[in-house]
Each structure stands twice: as structure tokens, then as C-alpha cells.
Amino acid sequence: MSAPPSSAPELSVVVPVFNEGGNVEALAARLAPVLDRAVASWEVLLIDDGSRDDTLSRAKGLNERDPRFRTVSFSRNFGKEIAIAAGLDHARGRAVVIMDADLQHPPEMIETFVAHWREGYAMVFGQRTDREADGPIRRALTRAFYRLFAAFGETPLPDGAGDFRLLDRKAVDALRAMGERARFSKGLYAWIGFRSKGVPFDVAQRASGTSKFNARKLFRFAFDGITSFSTLPLKLWTYVGVVVSACAFVLAMYFVIDTLMRGVDVPGYASLIVSVMFFSGVQLISLGIIGEYIGRIFAEVKRRPLYIVGDRVGFDEPDPASVWVARDERRRA
Ligand code: UDP
Ligand code: MG
């Protein structure tokens, strides 16, 4: 979707919002003065990810007071990663900032981001210096995930880099060219390359409400991350198979020699059961891993639209349906 270039602002700010009714106005109030200082012209795109509270009506109110605040509203909850993709699709700026709605990402940082962008960096990202804002369990699991990702992944991730970042237009276009459904943004940012710069920042406490990520969502997210950036979990089983077969061969030789020298005796029942159960388990795990990948292949080949737009606020161009049609045509091109 391309808007007339005359109306294109210098900077677009994309904010995924899911049940953030309590934060929308506070965010807008803090953002506007920062953006006025930082750039000549701007727009803020709230991507309403199927909120069930008053987020959408508050977003409409914002747009009435200041038309630079626009909203794309999904027909249901599609997840933050998809909301970011929709934001990049609708953003018209020469650069795009992605940030959370809950003021954990300090808006004042945008001035620094823009300064580095003007120096020529295509990507400027906020690097969290601590994770105090998360609970201890989530912190430990996050650390474990990133260690696993580093061990398995073929794409190294910069330390502490999240979604809070500025992307130049060319980086935005590169991200939009990737049509995959399982969107692990952190990996995608790293994969596209470009000259990047990290800016350390302290993550603030959530302004209002609670985290919109429950354990289930986080685990899906972690799985998506690993499986879209590594095929090692698939290949691993070849090596496991080789090692197990080698052990079995050695054991077989031992039994042959032992039988020849000492004759037949009744072998242990317990060791038999244990090894049968152990190797059934190994086989089921490897099947499950293959299933995960096949499930993802299935989701990709169905080529469903990435998201369905239910409502748009502050747009005068194409109807919602054309958004995903445009996506599909882009993929075929
Ligand atoms: N979010 C979203 N869809 C979701 C979950 C979250 O758009 O399904 C948004 C949420 O409104 C917020 C951002 O993603 O603006 C980050 O979410 P949250 O603050 O809950 O995550 P955390 O800070 O705990 O990682
Ligand atoms: Mg948050």
C-alpha cells in the first residue's frame, strides 16, 4: 500500500496495543512533544491487536483531537509480532520507530534514535541494561532461551535488543519483503543486516495494567524463534541416531562374546524395559520436533493473510481488504 508521497511524514511511530485503554492517552501526551522536537513531521500508528477494552474508542478520540494519530484495528488478537508487521505496512515515514504502549520504552529516547539515524545508521535499537521490570522466573527463562537461541540459531542476536528501535525506510522495506507467518522480529531485524547502533536504556515499570504476555504466549514465541531461525533441532536426531546405533553395536558384540564364553543365561528384565522405554521416548520426541516443523510449513503454505483489518481510523485511502491483497501480490512478484 503506497500513500501519496506529498503527505508522507518524516517519521512514523508504530505502537502495537492490546487492551491498553489505560495507557493510550498518557503515551500520546508524552510522545507528541518529543516528536515535535525531534522531527519536522510525524504520525503515530496505533495497531489495535483486537483489544476488548476501550482502546479503540480512545484511539478514535485521539485522532479527532490530532489527526496525526491514526489507528489500524484488527478483527481479533493476532499477536504483537503481526501487529508490528501491519504497522510497517501502513507506515509512510522515511523512518519508523517501533515501541510498546505501556511507557516501558521511554519516548524521550526517540530523539537519540533520530540523531543516530541522521548520522547514517539504518537501524538504531534500544538495548535494555537490566530486566528488573520482569519477574525472576521470566528473567531466568528469558536468559535460558537466549542461550539456547545462540547455541542453535544461525543468526546471532545483539545483547538486550528488543522491539524498541528506529528503522530506516530501506530496513522497513526489507522487513516487509519477508512474508513469513511465524514472525520472530528480533531474529528478522538481525537477519536483514544494515549498519546498526545500540543505545542502552533502562526499562521503566509498566505505566498501567499488566503484561499482555502469558506463559503460553511466551512459549509459542520462543518456539517460533528457534524453529524459524534454526534447523538444528531437526538435524540433531541424525547424530543421536548414530550414537545410539554405535552403542547398540558395541553391546551386541559384548553379548556375542559373553554368550560364547559363558553360555546362555537369563538376561535382565529391568534393563530391557528401561531401554525400550527410553528409546520410545527419544523417538517420540524426534517425531514431535518434526511435527512442529511440518505444522509451520503447513501454516506457511496455506498463504492466509497475515492479519485481517476490522477498522481503520484516520485513513482516506484503500479499503481494508486491499491491505492483504497487496501483501499477497508483493509475495508473488
Ligand atoms: N501486545 C500486542 N498484542 C499481544 C500482546 C501484546 O499488541 O497479543 C502489545 C502490548 O499492548 C504492548 C506491547 O505489545 O504495547 C508489549 O506488551 P507487554 O508490555 O504486555 O509485554 P512485556 O513488556 O511484558 O514484554
Ligand atoms: Mg511491557
Side-chain angles (χ1 to χ4, degrees):
M1 193 199 75
S2 58
S6 58
S7 67
E10 187 177 10
L11 185 74
S12 301
V13 179
V14 166
V15 189
V17 285
F18 178 49
N19 297 339
E20 302 281 11
N23 286 320
V24 168
E25 272 132 21
L27 173 75
R30 251 180 85 184
L31 256 180
V34 173
L35 295 176
D36 283 336
R37 280 201 303 271
V39 289
S41 57
W42 52 268
E43 65 175 355
V44 173
L45 275 173
L46 299 177
I47 312 298
D48 169 27
D49 188 10
S51 298
R52 286 177 289 268
D53 65 353
D54 57 352
T55 300
L56 183 57
S57 63
R58 282 173 190 268
K60 282 183 176 150
L62 271 185
N63 175 259
E64 275 157 24
R65 272 171 279 144
D66 185 343
R68 291 176 295 184
F69 287 89
R70 309 194 299 156
T71 297
V72 174
S73 180
F74 287 171
S75 60
R76 64 169 171 85
N77 181 244
F78 280 86
K80 181 186 178 188
E81 305 293 310
I82 307 277
I84 290 174
L88 297 182
D89 281 348
H90 287 82
R92 300 169 305 171
R94 287 200 284 116
V96 178
V97 165
I98 302 168
M99 68 186 296
D100 286 358
D102 54 9
L103 290 169
Q104 286 194 289
H105 297 160
E108 293 71 29
M109 290 270 298
I110 293 175
E111 290 187 85
T112 319
F113 284 6
V114 168
H116 289 308
W117 172 53
R118 293 198 170 127
E119 282 164 18
Y121 289 99
M123 218 170 348
V124 188
F125 54 90
Q127 236 168 344
R128 52 197 300 180
T129 43
D130 67 272
R131 290 182 178 272
E132 290 304 309
D134 296 340
I137 298 174
R138 178 163 168 182
R139 250 192 340 251
L141 286 174
T142 304
R143 202 163 334 113
F145 167 74
Y146 283 109
R147 218 171 277 150
L148 203 67
F149 193 92
F152 275 20
E154 284 124 33
T155 309
L157 298 181
D159 222 30
D163 287 317
F164 186 30
R165 58 182 61 226
L166 178 146
L167 305 160
D168 181 72
R169 177 46 56 185
K170 58 189 175 199
V172 172
D173 290 341
L175 286 174
R176 291 185 63 208
M178 295 197 267
E180 58 214 86
R181 257 111 268 279
R183 298 190 79 82
F184 181 65
S185 300
K186 288 186 184 82
L188 299 179
Y189 302 135
W191 188 88
I192 60 170
F194 291 119
R195 218 158 85 87
S196 312
K197 187 173 181 65
V199 183
F201 77 107
D202 287 326
V203 177
Q205 289 293 338
R206 205 171 214 291
S208 150
T210 53
S211 175
K212 305 298 180 272
F213 280 92
N214 51 27
R216 209 189 83 236
K217 263 189 180 165
L218 283 173
F219 271 111
R220 277 257 69 89
F221 182 62
F223 246 97
D224 277 347
I226 302 268
T227 51
S228 35
F229 280 90
S230 173
T231 50
L232 193 63
L234 280 176
K235 297 178 202 151
L236 192 69
W237 302 104
T238 316
Y239 305 112
V240 173
V242 167
V243 170
V244 168
S245 308
C247 290
F249 184 74
V250 171
L251 210 61
M253 295 315 283
Y254 166 80
F255 281 135
V256 167
I257 293 166
D258 191 51
T259 310
L260 285 179
M261 286 172 50
R262 297 198 294 150
V264 185
D265 71 336
V266 183
Y269 165 78
S271 61
L272 204 65
I273 283 298
V274 167
S275 63
V276 165
M277 291 216 336
F278 175 72
F279 291 112
S280 310
V282 169
Q283 282 173 5
L284 285 178
I285 292 170
S286 64
L287 265 181
I289 298 275
I290 294 170
E292 283 286 339
Y293 278 89
I294 292 179
R296 271 150 232 272
I297 295 169
F298 185 52
E300 299 287 346
V301 297
K302 276 191 288 192
R303 307 179 101 235
R304 287 199 181 149
L306 204 53
Y307 54 87
I308 307 285
V309 174
D311 214 341
R312 309 209 301 171
V313 184
F315 289 81
D316 26 52
E317 341 82 62
D319 64 300
S322 69
V323 173
W324 55 265
V325 173
R327 268 197 93 86
D328 220 40
E329 276 163 3
R330 205 175 52 235
R331 263 202 302 282
R332 266 196 287 276

